[in-house]
Amino acid sequence: MAVDELQAIIQRCQILEEADFKGEDFNLFQVAGQKCLEDGYAAQLLEVIQNEKNKVIVKNMGWNLISPLVRCIFTYKQDDDKREHCLRILDQLAQLCNPKELFLGLLEQIEQTSGEQVCQTVMLLLQPLQTVLLKLQNKKAYSVGLSLAMIMNQLTPLPVPYTKQQIQEDKLGLCQCCNAVVDFAKPFVNEVVKNMEKSSEYSDMELKEELIKFCMKSLKYPLLTAQLEQLEGIEEHPFRHFATEIIDILWNTRELIPLVFVPHKVKSPPWENEEFAEVEQKNSADSLACLSYLVFVQHFGVEYFPVVFSPSYLLLCNMTHIEALLKRTEESVLSKGLDLFESCLLRMEDNSLLHPYLELRVFINVPQDLVKIMTLCPIENMRKKSLSILQLFIDKFDTEGKYTLFRCLLKTSNHAGVEGYIIKNIKDQIHLALMKEYDNIWFTGHHLISLLDLVLSLPEGAETDLLQNSDRIMASLNLLRYLVIKDCESDNQTGVWTTLGKIKQNFLKPLRVGLNMSKAHYEAEIKNKKENRKEAHSSNPVCSVTVSGEKMPAMTTGMQLQVLHSALFTFDLIESVLARVEELIEGKTKGVMDEN
Protein backbone atom coordinates (compact mmCIF):
# COMPACT_ATOMS: atom_id res chain seq x y z
CA MET A 1 0.00 0.00 0.00
CA ALA A 2 2.73 2.46 1.00
CA VAL A 3 4.75 1.63 -2.14
CA ASP A 4 1.63 2.11 -4.32
CA GLU A 5 1.03 5.54 -2.82
CA LEU A 6 4.64 6.51 -3.46
CA GLN A 7 4.48 5.27 -7.07
CA ALA A 8 1.31 7.28 -7.66
CA ILE A 9 2.97 10.47 -6.41
CA ILE A 10 6.09 9.75 -8.48
CA GLN A 11 4.03 9.22 -11.67
CA ARG A 12 2.19 12.45 -11.06
CA CYS A 13 5.38 14.45 -10.49
CA GLN A 14 7.24 12.90 -13.43
CA ILE A 15 5.05 14.78 -15.92
CA LEU A 16 5.59 18.11 -14.13
CA GLU A 17 8.38 20.57 -14.72
CA GLU A 18 10.72 21.26 -11.81
CA ALA A 19 9.31 24.76 -11.41
CA ASP A 20 5.74 23.40 -11.16
CA PHE A 21 6.32 21.33 -8.02
CA LYS A 22 3.98 22.52 -5.24
CA GLY A 23 4.14 22.36 -1.48
CA GLU A 24 1.48 19.67 -1.53
CA ASP A 25 3.72 17.47 -3.71
CA PHE A 26 6.59 17.77 -1.23
CA ASN A 27 4.32 16.81 1.68
CA LEU A 28 2.80 13.83 -0.14
CA PHE A 29 6.26 12.57 -1.17
CA GLN A 30 7.56 12.88 2.39
CA VAL A 31 4.55 11.10 3.93
CA ALA A 32 4.60 8.26 1.37
CA GLY A 33 8.41 7.84 1.65
CA GLN A 34 8.25 7.81 5.43
CA LYS A 35 5.45 5.17 5.33
CA CYS A 36 7.57 2.98 3.06
CA LEU A 37 10.45 3.16 5.52
CA GLU A 38 8.28 2.48 8.57
CA ASP A 39 6.49 -0.44 6.88
CA GLY A 40 9.78 -2.09 5.91
CA TYR A 41 9.83 -1.26 2.19
CA ALA A 42 13.29 0.35 2.21
CA ALA A 43 14.43 -1.78 -0.76
CA GLN A 44 11.52 -0.54 -2.90
CA LEU A 45 12.17 3.05 -1.87
CA LEU A 46 15.83 2.61 -2.85
CA GLU A 47 14.76 1.43 -6.32
CA VAL A 48 12.58 4.52 -6.74
CA ILE A 49 15.43 6.82 -5.73
CA GLN A 50 17.94 5.07 -8.02
CA ASN A 51 15.60 5.29 -11.01
CA GLU A 52 17.09 7.80 -13.45
CA LYS A 53 13.58 9.01 -14.36
CA ASN A 54 13.05 10.22 -10.78
CA LYS A 55 16.31 12.21 -10.60
CA VAL A 56 14.64 15.63 -10.64
CA ILE A 57 12.04 14.60 -8.07
CA VAL A 58 14.68 13.22 -5.71
CA LYS A 59 16.86 16.30 -6.21
CA ASN A 60 14.07 18.59 -5.01
CA MET A 61 12.15 16.43 -2.53
CA GLY A 62 14.59 13.79 -1.28
CA TRP A 63 15.99 15.85 1.61
CA ASN A 64 12.59 15.52 3.38
CA LEU A 65 13.35 11.84 3.98
CA ILE A 66 16.43 12.48 6.19
CA SER A 67 14.58 12.52 9.51
CA PRO A 68 12.51 9.30 9.03
CA LEU A 69 15.52 7.65 7.40
CA VAL A 70 17.74 8.28 10.48
CA ARG A 71 15.02 7.00 12.83
CA CYS A 72 14.68 3.78 10.83
CA ILE A 73 18.45 3.20 10.66
CA PHE A 74 18.62 3.25 14.46
CA THR A 75 15.71 0.82 14.81
CA TYR A 76 17.38 -1.92 12.72
CA LYS A 77 20.25 -4.13 13.92
CA GLN A 78 23.69 -3.86 12.34
CA ASP A 79 23.34 -7.01 10.23
CA ASP A 80 19.77 -6.31 9.04
CA ASP A 81 19.39 -5.97 5.24
CA LYS A 82 16.83 -3.22 5.75
CA ARG A 83 19.43 -1.15 7.60
CA GLU A 84 21.81 -1.62 4.69
CA HIS A 85 19.10 -0.43 2.28
CA CYS A 86 18.52 2.66 4.43
CA LEU A 87 22.25 3.47 4.44
CA ARG A 88 22.34 3.18 0.64
CA ILE A 89 19.34 5.51 0.41
CA LEU A 90 21.20 8.04 2.57
CA ASP A 91 24.23 7.77 0.30
CA GLN A 92 22.03 8.27 -2.81
CA LEU A 93 20.36 11.34 -1.30
CA ALA A 94 23.80 12.87 -0.61
CA GLN A 95 24.68 12.37 -4.29
CA LEU A 96 21.36 13.48 -5.87
CA CYS A 97 19.67 16.07 -3.64
CA ASN A 98 19.95 19.83 -3.88
CA PRO A 99 23.10 20.49 -1.77
CA LYS A 100 21.71 23.56 -0.03
CA GLU A 101 18.43 21.86 0.97
CA LEU A 102 20.10 18.64 2.06
CA PHE A 103 22.74 20.57 4.02
CA LEU A 104 20.02 22.27 6.10
CA GLY A 105 18.18 18.95 6.53
CA LEU A 106 21.31 17.19 7.82
CA LEU A 107 22.18 20.03 10.22
CA GLU A 108 18.63 20.08 11.53
CA GLN A 109 18.83 16.35 12.24
CA ILE A 110 22.14 16.79 14.12
CA GLU A 111 20.71 19.71 16.10
CA GLN A 112 17.62 17.73 17.15
CA THR A 113 19.51 14.71 18.46
CA SER A 114 20.33 14.43 22.17
CA GLY A 115 21.57 12.13 24.91
CA GLU A 116 23.03 8.76 24.04
CA GLN A 117 22.22 9.10 20.31
CA VAL A 118 24.31 12.24 19.74
CA CYS A 119 27.54 10.47 18.72
CA GLN A 120 25.70 7.80 16.72
CA THR A 121 23.76 10.45 14.77
CA VAL A 122 26.82 12.59 14.13
CA MET A 123 28.91 9.64 12.89
CA LEU A 124 26.04 8.49 10.68
CA LEU A 125 25.61 11.88 9.01
CA LEU A 126 29.25 12.99 8.72
CA GLN A 127 29.86 11.32 5.36
CA PRO A 128 26.73 12.68 3.59
CA LEU A 129 27.36 16.08 5.18
CA GLN A 130 30.93 16.10 3.86
CA THR A 131 29.70 15.09 0.38
CA VAL A 132 27.20 17.95 0.36
CA LEU A 133 29.70 20.55 1.63
CA LEU A 134 32.22 19.61 -1.06
CA LYS A 135 29.53 20.36 -3.67
CA LEU A 136 28.66 23.78 -2.30
CA GLN A 137 30.01 26.76 -4.23
CA ASN A 138 28.57 29.74 -2.37
CA LYS A 139 29.15 30.32 1.33
CA LYS A 140 31.20 27.15 1.59
CA ALA A 141 33.42 28.43 4.41
CA TYR A 142 30.38 29.61 6.36
CA SER A 143 28.65 26.23 5.87
CA VAL A 144 31.72 24.25 6.96
CA GLY A 145 32.09 26.47 10.03
CA LEU A 146 28.39 26.13 10.87
CA SER A 147 28.59 22.33 10.54
CA LEU A 148 31.66 22.01 12.78
CA ALA A 149 30.22 24.42 15.35
CA MET A 150 26.90 22.54 15.42
CA ILE A 151 28.64 19.18 15.85
CA MET A 152 30.91 20.44 18.65
CA ASN A 153 28.00 22.12 20.44
CA GLN A 154 26.13 18.80 20.43
CA LEU A 155 29.16 16.87 21.70
CA THR A 156 30.19 19.34 24.42
CA PRO A 157 27.53 18.36 27.03
CA LEU A 158 28.71 14.73 26.93
CA PRO A 159 31.03 13.55 29.75
CA VAL A 160 34.61 12.96 28.62
CA PRO A 161 35.85 9.41 29.39
CA TYR A 162 38.76 9.76 31.83
CA THR A 163 39.81 6.43 33.30
CA LYS A 164 41.37 3.63 31.27
CA GLN A 165 38.20 1.57 31.57
CA GLN A 166 35.97 4.45 30.48
CA ILE A 167 38.18 5.14 27.44
CA GLN A 168 38.17 1.47 26.44
CA GLU A 169 34.40 1.15 26.85
CA ASP A 170 33.66 4.52 25.17
CA LYS A 171 30.06 4.05 26.25
CA LEU A 172 28.61 7.03 24.36
CA GLY A 173 31.03 6.74 21.42
CA LEU A 174 32.68 10.13 22.07
CA CYS A 175 36.26 8.93 21.47
CA GLN A 176 35.33 7.41 18.12
CA CYS A 177 33.16 10.39 17.17
CA CYS A 178 35.87 13.01 17.83
CA ASN A 179 38.29 11.26 15.49
CA ALA A 180 35.54 10.87 12.88
CA VAL A 181 34.94 14.64 13.00
CA VAL A 182 38.64 15.28 12.33
CA ASP A 183 38.49 12.98 9.30
CA PHE A 184 35.40 14.89 8.18
CA ALA A 185 37.38 18.16 8.26
CA LYS A 186 40.44 16.86 6.36
CA PRO A 187 39.27 17.65 2.78
CA PHE A 188 38.68 21.25 3.80
CA VAL A 189 42.08 21.45 5.48
CA ASN A 190 43.66 20.08 2.29
CA GLU A 191 41.81 22.72 0.28
CA VAL A 192 43.20 25.50 2.48
CA VAL A 193 46.73 24.07 2.32
CA LYS A 194 46.53 23.71 -1.46
CA ASN A 195 45.41 27.32 -1.90
CA MET A 196 48.14 28.55 0.46
CA GLU A 197 50.77 26.69 -1.57
CA LYS A 198 49.53 28.28 -4.78
CA SER A 199 49.88 31.78 -3.41
CA SER A 200 52.03 33.16 -0.63
CA GLU A 201 49.32 35.77 -0.07
CA TYR A 202 46.34 33.51 0.45
CA SER A 203 43.40 35.89 0.27
CA ASP A 204 40.40 33.63 1.08
CA MET A 205 40.90 33.35 4.84
CA GLU A 206 37.32 32.46 5.77
CA LEU A 207 37.62 28.67 5.48
CA LYS A 208 40.96 28.73 7.29
CA GLU A 209 39.48 30.78 10.14
CA GLU A 210 36.56 28.35 10.49
CA LEU A 211 38.99 25.45 10.79
CA ILE A 212 41.03 27.32 13.41
CA LYS A 213 37.82 27.94 15.39
CA PHE A 214 37.13 24.21 15.26
CA CYS A 215 40.63 23.45 16.56
CA MET A 216 40.21 25.96 19.39
CA LYS A 217 36.89 24.40 20.39
CA SER A 218 38.45 20.94 20.27
CA LEU A 219 41.26 22.08 22.58
CA LYS A 220 38.67 23.35 25.06
CA TYR A 221 36.55 20.19 24.67
CA PRO A 222 37.34 17.35 24.93
CA LEU A 223 41.13 17.78 25.18
CA LEU A 224 41.26 20.15 28.16
CA THR A 225 39.55 17.63 30.45
CA ALA A 226 40.73 14.43 28.73
CA GLN A 227 43.29 12.00 30.15
CA LEU A 228 46.22 12.33 27.73
CA GLU A 229 48.91 10.22 29.40
CA GLN A 230 49.94 6.99 27.67
CA LEU A 231 47.87 4.19 29.14
CA GLU A 232 49.13 0.62 29.33
CA GLY A 233 46.94 -1.76 27.38
CA ILE A 234 45.61 0.90 24.98
CA GLU A 235 47.57 0.61 21.75
CA GLU A 236 46.23 3.81 20.19
CA HIS A 237 44.87 6.26 22.74
CA PRO A 238 41.87 7.91 21.00
CA PHE A 239 42.35 11.32 22.60
CA ARG A 240 46.10 11.32 21.91
CA HIS A 241 45.30 10.52 18.28
CA PHE A 242 42.73 13.32 18.23
CA ALA A 243 45.26 15.75 19.75
CA THR A 244 47.83 14.79 17.09
CA GLU A 245 45.31 15.51 14.33
CA ILE A 246 44.40 18.92 15.81
CA ILE A 247 48.08 19.89 16.10
CA ASP A 248 48.62 18.80 12.47
CA ILE A 249 45.74 21.00 11.28
CA LEU A 250 47.24 24.00 13.09
CA TRP A 251 50.67 23.26 11.65
CA ASN A 252 49.43 22.74 8.10
CA THR A 253 47.48 26.00 8.21
CA ARG A 254 50.63 27.77 9.55
CA GLU A 255 48.96 28.76 12.82
CA LEU A 256 50.65 26.47 15.35
CA ILE A 257 53.71 28.56 16.22
CA PRO A 258 51.85 31.91 16.18
CA LEU A 259 49.20 30.51 18.54
CA VAL A 260 51.78 29.08 20.94
CA PHE A 261 53.95 32.19 21.08
CA VAL A 262 51.59 35.03 20.14
CA PRO A 263 48.33 34.44 22.05
CA HIS A 264 46.60 37.56 20.65
CA LYS A 265 46.60 35.83 17.23
CA VAL A 266 43.20 34.34 18.05
CA LYS A 267 40.43 36.42 16.52
CA SER A 268 37.28 36.81 18.57
CA PRO A 269 34.01 38.14 17.19
CA PRO A 270 33.15 41.66 18.36
CA TRP A 271 30.57 41.31 21.13
CA GLU A 272 28.44 44.25 22.20
CA ASN A 273 27.50 42.35 25.36
CA GLU A 274 30.49 42.44 27.75
CA GLU A 275 29.42 39.18 29.39
CA PHE A 276 29.60 37.34 26.06
CA ALA A 277 32.99 38.91 25.37
CA GLU A 278 34.32 37.66 28.73
CA VAL A 279 33.08 34.11 28.05
CA GLU A 280 34.73 34.16 24.62
CA GLN A 281 37.98 35.42 26.11
CA LYS A 282 37.93 32.72 28.82
CA ASN A 283 37.24 29.98 26.27
CA SER A 284 40.15 31.23 24.17
CA ALA A 285 42.43 31.30 27.24
CA ASP A 286 41.49 27.70 28.13
CA SER A 287 42.11 26.52 24.55
CA LEU A 288 45.53 28.17 24.34
CA ALA A 289 46.48 26.77 27.76
CA CYS A 290 45.57 23.28 26.58
CA LEU A 291 47.60 23.81 23.39
CA SER A 292 50.67 24.73 25.44
CA TYR A 293 50.16 21.64 27.60
CA LEU A 294 50.02 19.44 24.49
CA VAL A 295 53.21 20.95 23.07
CA PHE A 296 55.41 21.40 26.16
CA VAL A 297 54.27 18.51 28.37
CA GLN A 298 53.00 15.83 25.99
CA HIS A 299 55.35 17.00 23.18
CA PHE A 300 52.74 16.89 20.42
CA GLY A 301 54.14 18.69 17.38
CA VAL A 302 57.35 19.52 19.22
CA GLU A 303 59.31 18.49 16.11
CA TYR A 304 57.89 21.56 14.37
CA PHE A 305 59.48 24.02 16.81
CA PRO A 306 62.95 25.50 16.34
CA VAL A 307 65.23 24.90 19.34
CA VAL A 308 66.11 28.56 19.77
CA PHE A 309 63.96 29.68 22.68
CA SER A 310 65.52 30.18 26.10
CA PRO A 311 63.92 28.35 29.07
CA SER A 312 63.04 31.68 30.71
CA TYR A 313 61.27 32.84 27.52
CA LEU A 314 59.27 29.59 27.38
CA LEU A 315 58.25 30.10 31.01
CA LEU A 316 57.24 33.69 30.24
CA CYS A 317 55.10 32.55 27.29
CA ASN A 318 53.39 29.91 29.40
CA MET A 319 52.72 31.77 32.64
CA THR A 320 49.32 33.13 31.52
CA HIS A 321 48.34 29.59 30.44
CA ILE A 322 49.55 28.15 33.75
CA GLU A 323 47.53 30.78 35.62
CA ALA A 324 44.38 29.95 33.60
CA LEU A 325 44.73 26.22 34.38
CA LEU A 326 45.55 26.65 38.09
CA LYS A 327 42.40 28.70 38.65
CA ARG A 328 40.26 25.71 37.65
CA THR A 329 39.05 23.20 40.21
CA GLU A 330 38.63 20.05 38.06
CA GLU A 331 41.38 17.53 38.80
CA SER A 332 42.01 16.80 35.11
CA VAL A 333 42.53 20.51 34.31
CA LEU A 334 44.40 21.42 37.49
CA SER A 335 46.86 18.57 36.97
CA LYS A 336 47.60 19.90 33.46
CA GLY A 337 48.43 23.31 34.94
CA LEU A 338 50.80 21.79 37.50
CA ASP A 339 52.45 19.59 34.86
CA LEU A 340 52.92 22.53 32.49
CA PHE A 341 54.44 24.69 35.26
CA GLU A 342 56.74 21.90 36.39
CA SER A 343 57.83 21.16 32.81
CA CYS A 344 58.78 24.81 32.22
CA LEU A 345 60.69 25.06 35.51
CA LEU A 346 62.63 21.82 35.01
CA ARG A 347 64.10 23.25 31.80
CA MET A 348 65.76 26.04 33.81
CA GLU A 349 68.91 26.11 35.90
CA ASP A 350 68.69 27.18 39.54
CA ASN A 351 69.19 30.91 40.19
CA SER A 352 68.79 31.70 36.47
CA LEU A 353 65.40 33.46 36.56
CA LEU A 354 65.97 37.20 36.87
CA HIS A 355 64.10 39.24 39.49
CA PRO A 356 62.53 41.75 37.01
CA TYR A 357 60.11 38.98 35.96
CA LEU A 358 58.37 39.53 39.31
CA GLU A 359 57.30 42.96 38.05
CA LEU A 360 54.87 41.06 35.80
CA ARG A 361 51.66 40.46 37.71
CA VAL A 362 51.32 36.87 36.50
CA PHE A 363 54.60 35.89 38.22
CA ILE A 364 53.02 36.92 41.53
CA ASN A 365 49.56 35.48 40.80
CA VAL A 366 50.77 31.97 39.94
CA PRO A 367 52.61 31.26 43.25
CA GLN A 368 49.57 32.63 45.08
CA ASP A 369 47.42 30.16 43.14
CA LEU A 370 49.84 27.40 44.16
CA VAL A 371 49.38 28.40 47.79
CA LYS A 372 45.59 28.11 47.40
CA ILE A 373 45.97 24.61 45.95
CA MET A 374 48.39 23.64 48.75
CA THR A 375 45.98 24.77 51.44
CA LEU A 376 42.50 24.25 49.97
CA CYS A 377 42.62 21.43 47.41
CA PRO A 378 40.97 18.24 48.74
CA ILE A 379 43.26 15.98 46.66
CA GLU A 380 46.41 15.11 48.63
CA ASN A 381 48.75 14.41 45.70
CA MET A 382 47.80 17.78 44.18
CA ARG A 383 48.65 19.57 47.44
CA LYS A 384 52.01 17.80 47.65
CA LYS A 385 52.84 18.49 44.01
CA SER A 386 51.94 22.18 44.42
CA LEU A 387 54.38 22.43 47.32
CA SER A 388 57.23 20.81 45.37
CA ILE A 389 56.55 23.12 42.38
CA LEU A 390 56.52 26.19 44.64
CA GLN A 391 59.97 25.15 45.88
CA LEU A 392 61.13 24.67 42.27
CA PHE A 393 59.85 28.16 41.43
CA ILE A 394 61.72 29.65 44.40
CA ASP A 395 64.94 27.83 43.46
CA LYS A 396 64.93 29.20 39.91
CA PHE A 397 65.05 32.89 40.93
CA ASP A 398 68.17 34.89 41.52
CA THR A 399 68.84 36.12 45.07
CA GLU A 400 66.89 39.37 44.73
CA GLY A 401 64.02 37.46 43.14
CA LYS A 402 63.88 35.02 46.06
CA TYR A 403 63.91 37.94 48.50
CA THR A 404 61.04 39.71 46.70
CA LEU A 405 59.02 36.51 46.40
CA PHE A 406 59.45 35.72 50.11
CA ARG A 407 58.19 39.16 51.08
CA CYS A 408 55.20 38.82 48.80
CA LEU A 409 54.20 35.35 50.02
CA LEU A 410 54.61 36.31 53.68
CA LYS A 411 52.20 39.19 53.15
CA THR A 412 49.61 37.37 51.04
CA SER A 413 49.48 33.67 51.98
CA ASN A 414 47.40 34.10 55.18
CA HIS A 415 48.29 30.57 56.20
CA ALA A 416 50.62 29.77 59.10
CA GLY A 417 51.89 26.55 57.52
CA VAL A 418 52.87 28.32 54.28
CA GLU A 419 54.44 31.20 56.20
CA GLY A 420 56.44 28.68 58.24
CA TYR A 421 57.63 27.05 55.03
CA ILE A 422 58.73 30.42 53.59
CA ILE A 423 60.56 31.29 56.81
CA LYS A 424 62.44 27.99 56.58
CA ASN A 425 63.46 28.98 53.03
CA ILE A 426 64.65 32.36 54.34
CA LYS A 427 66.79 30.55 56.91
CA ASP A 428 68.34 28.42 54.14
CA GLN A 429 69.17 31.52 52.09
CA ILE A 430 70.75 33.23 55.13
CA HIS A 431 72.83 30.11 55.69
CA LEU A 432 74.09 30.24 52.07
CA ALA A 433 74.84 33.95 52.45
CA LEU A 434 76.91 33.35 55.59
CA MET A 435 78.79 30.42 54.03
CA LYS A 436 79.76 32.20 50.79
CA GLU A 437 82.91 34.24 50.50
CA TYR A 438 81.30 37.04 48.48
CA ASP A 439 78.72 39.46 49.84
CA ASN A 440 75.02 38.67 49.57
CA ILE A 441 73.27 41.96 50.21
CA TRP A 442 69.73 40.54 50.14
CA PHE A 443 70.03 38.07 53.01
CA THR A 444 72.42 40.05 55.18
CA GLY A 445 72.50 43.60 56.49
CA HIS A 446 69.68 46.11 56.19
CA HIS A 447 67.70 44.14 53.54
CA LEU A 448 67.54 41.17 55.87
CA ILE A 449 66.57 43.37 58.82
CA SER A 450 63.61 44.63 56.76
CA LEU A 451 62.62 41.01 56.06
CA LEU A 452 63.04 40.02 59.71
CA ASP A 453 60.55 42.74 60.65
CA LEU A 454 57.95 40.67 58.75
CA VAL A 455 59.14 37.33 60.10
CA LEU A 456 59.83 38.07 63.77
CA SER A 457 56.48 39.54 64.71
CA LEU A 458 53.08 38.43 65.96
CA PRO A 459 50.08 39.49 63.81
CA GLU A 460 48.04 40.62 66.82
CA GLY A 461 50.71 40.95 69.48
CA ALA A 462 50.18 39.02 72.72
CA GLU A 463 46.56 38.29 71.71
CA THR A 464 47.61 36.32 68.59
CA ASP A 465 46.07 32.85 68.33
CA LEU A 466 49.25 30.91 69.09
CA LEU A 467 47.73 27.55 68.26
CA GLN A 468 46.61 28.62 64.80
CA ASN A 469 49.95 30.34 64.15
CA SER A 470 52.15 27.67 65.74
CA ASP A 471 53.85 26.63 62.46
CA ARG A 472 54.88 30.20 61.71
CA ILE A 473 55.98 30.90 65.31
CA MET A 474 58.11 27.74 65.52
CA ALA A 475 59.79 28.54 62.19
CA SER A 476 60.45 32.12 63.35
CA LEU A 477 61.97 30.95 66.64
CA ASN A 478 64.16 28.41 64.85
CA LEU A 479 65.36 31.14 62.48
CA LEU A 480 66.15 33.49 65.38
CA ARG A 481 67.96 30.69 67.24
CA TYR A 482 70.03 30.00 64.10
CA LEU A 483 70.92 33.69 63.70
CA VAL A 484 72.00 34.05 67.32
CA ILE A 485 74.16 30.92 67.13
CA LYS A 486 75.74 31.49 63.69
CA ASP A 487 76.22 35.25 63.64
CA CYS A 488 78.57 36.56 66.30
CA GLU A 489 77.73 39.96 67.76
CA SER A 490 81.20 41.18 66.80
CA ASP A 491 80.61 40.23 63.12
CA ASN A 492 76.89 41.06 62.99
CA GLN A 493 76.71 40.11 59.28
CA THR A 494 72.97 39.60 59.39
CA GLY A 495 72.29 42.74 61.44
CA VAL A 496 70.27 40.73 63.96
CA TRP A 497 72.23 42.14 66.91
CA THR A 498 71.55 45.70 65.78
CA THR A 499 67.80 45.12 65.82
CA LEU A 500 67.70 42.80 68.85
CA GLY A 501 65.88 45.35 71.03
CA LYS A 502 63.12 45.64 68.42
CA ILE A 503 62.88 41.84 68.13
CA LYS A 504 62.49 41.50 71.88
CA GLN A 505 59.83 44.20 71.99
CA ASN A 506 57.79 43.08 68.97
CA PHE A 507 58.23 39.32 69.13
CA LEU A 508 59.80 37.71 72.19
CA LYS A 509 58.02 39.65 74.94
CA PRO A 510 54.50 39.49 73.43
CA LEU A 511 55.10 35.81 72.67
CA ARG A 512 56.00 35.14 76.31
CA VAL A 513 52.90 37.02 77.48
CA GLY A 514 50.72 35.22 74.92
CA LEU A 515 52.08 31.84 75.98
CA ASN A 516 51.36 32.52 79.65
CA MET A 517 47.83 33.67 78.85
CA SER A 518 47.12 30.75 76.52
CA LYS A 519 48.50 28.12 78.89
CA ALA A 520 46.56 29.55 81.81
CA HIS A 521 43.36 29.57 79.72
CA TYR A 522 43.76 25.98 78.49
CA GLU A 523 44.80 24.68 81.94
CA ALA A 524 41.72 26.29 83.45
CA GLU A 525 39.58 24.78 80.68
CA ILE A 526 41.04 21.30 81.36
CA LYS A 527 40.42 21.68 85.09
CA ASN A 528 36.86 22.81 84.43
CA LYS A 529 36.21 19.85 82.08
CA LYS A 530 37.56 17.35 84.61
CA GLU A 531 35.53 18.80 87.48
CA ASN A 532 32.32 18.78 85.47
CA ARG A 533 32.95 15.47 83.70
CA LYS A 534 30.34 13.54 85.69
CA GLU A 535 27.73 16.24 85.29
CA ALA A 536 28.48 16.52 81.55
CA HIS A 537 28.21 12.72 81.21
CA SER A 538 24.76 12.65 82.78
CA SER A 539 23.23 15.72 81.13
CA ASN A 540 25.02 16.60 77.90
CA PRO A 541 27.96 14.31 77.17
CA VAL A 542 28.81 15.75 73.78
CA CYS A 543 29.45 19.06 72.08
CA SER A 544 28.86 19.80 68.41
CA VAL A 545 31.51 21.31 66.14
CA THR A 546 30.80 23.13 62.88
CA VAL A 547 33.52 23.50 60.22
CA SER A 548 32.90 25.51 57.02
CA GLY A 549 29.18 25.35 57.64
CA GLU A 550 29.16 21.54 57.97
CA LYS A 551 28.35 19.87 61.26
CA MET A 552 31.14 17.51 62.31
CA PRO A 553 30.69 14.34 64.40
CA ALA A 554 29.93 15.14 68.05
CA MET A 555 32.86 15.29 70.52
CA THR A 556 32.77 13.54 73.87
CA THR A 557 34.29 15.16 76.94
CA GLY A 558 37.24 12.77 76.66
CA MET A 559 37.88 13.88 73.09
CA GLN A 560 37.67 17.53 74.12
CA LEU A 561 40.24 16.92 76.87
CA GLN A 562 42.52 15.22 74.35
CA VAL A 563 42.36 18.29 72.09
CA LEU A 564 43.07 20.62 75.02
CA HIS A 565 46.09 18.54 76.12
CA SER A 566 47.38 18.55 72.54
CA ALA A 567 47.19 22.37 72.53
CA LEU A 568 49.10 22.52 75.80
CA PHE A 569 51.78 20.27 74.33
CA THR A 570 52.15 22.71 71.40
CA PHE A 571 52.52 25.64 73.83
CA ASP A 572 55.16 23.71 75.80
CA LEU A 573 57.06 23.06 72.59
CA ILE A 574 57.00 26.75 71.64
CA GLU A 575 58.00 27.72 75.19
CA SER A 576 60.99 25.37 75.20
CA VAL A 577 62.37 26.87 71.97
CA LEU A 578 61.63 30.40 73.22
CA ALA A 579 63.47 29.68 76.45
CA ARG A 580 66.47 28.38 74.48
CA VAL A 581 66.52 31.51 72.29
CA GLU A 582 66.33 33.79 75.33
CA GLU A 583 69.11 31.78 76.98
CA LEU A 584 71.34 32.06 73.90
CA ILE A 585 70.75 35.81 73.59
CA GLU A 586 71.48 36.35 77.28
CA GLY A 587 74.60 34.16 77.13
CA LYS A 588 76.04 35.87 74.06
CA THR A 589 75.23 39.35 75.37
CA LYS A 590 76.82 38.56 78.73
CA GLY A 591 79.89 37.11 77.01
CA VAL A 592 80.43 40.30 75.02
CA MET A 593 79.98 42.45 78.14
CA ASP A 594 82.52 40.31 79.99
CA GLU A 595 85.00 40.72 77.13
CA ASN A 596 84.50 44.48 77.20
Side-chain angles (χ1 to χ4, degrees), residues 36-37 40-48 50 82 85-86 89:
C36 285
L37 289 167
Y41 297 112
Q44 289 81 346
L45 179 59
L46 177 61
E47 286 179 15
V48 169
Q50 287 177 327
K82 291 175 184 176
H85 291 140
C86 289
I89 292 170

Side-chain angles (χ1 to χ4, degrees), residues 368 371-372 375-376 407-420 422 459 468-469 472:
Q368 289 175 342
V371 167
K372 287 177 185 174
T375 55
L376 300 175
R407 288 189 69 92
C408 172
L409 290 174
L410 282 173
K411 288 180 178 179
T412 60
S413 67
N414 297 317
H415 188 279
V418 176
E419 290 165 1
I422 296 303
Q468 189 175 338
N469 288 277
R472 177 195 169 116

